[in-house]
Amino acid sequence: AIEGARSKEPDCEVKKIHLMDYNIEYCRNCLVCRDVKTEEPYVKCVIRDDMDIIREDLVNSDALIMATPVHMKAYKLGRKLA
């Protein structure tokens, strides 16, 4: 997928992020991200974890390619997205 993107846009910047290299906690369903009113485009999660490190890359990207391995006809989610 990355090679395909580069074939269409050779000057594109690509950053591969391996989520398993980060400590990202599960969502606690506190709903702060849904209920807080702000002028910002999004409300930061109340959980302080490594998502703080990669959030700006995700928010400022023009495109995301998400991939996961499939083992035994199933995939493992285990990560929150934002």
Side-chain angles (χ1 to χ4, degrees):
I2 292 173
E3 290 80 16
R6 284 194 173 135
S7 72
K8 296 292 185 185
E9 188 65 42
D11 296 331
C12 71
E13 180 181 337
V14 175
K15 183 173 186 178
K16 187 182 278 190
I17 299 171
H18 296 271
L19 294 181
M20 294 305 295
D21 295 341
Y22 295 89
N23 178 27
I24 301 173
E25 300 292 326
Y26 289 99
C27 176
R28 297 180 189 152
N29 200 31
C30 67
L31 303 178
V32 168
C33 59
R34 182 193 73 179
D35 296 338
V36 171
K37 305 299 182 222
T38 180
E39 297 295 320
E40 300 297 318
Y42 64 93
V43 176
K44 288 184 181 178
C45 182
V46 297
I47 301 171
R48 302 280 53 94
D49 59 13
D50 288 347
M51 192 67 190
D52 294 337
I53 297 169
I54 62 174
R55 179 180 293 107
E56 291 304 314
D57 286 333
L58 296 174
V59 170
N60 294 323
S61 66
D62 292 323
L64 296 174
I65 300 171
M66 304 179 104
T68 185
V70 177
H71 300 286
M72 303 298 291
K73 298 182 181 179
Y75 64 91
K76 182 177 179 179
L77 184 55
R79 297 290 180 192
K80 70 178 181 181
L81 296 179

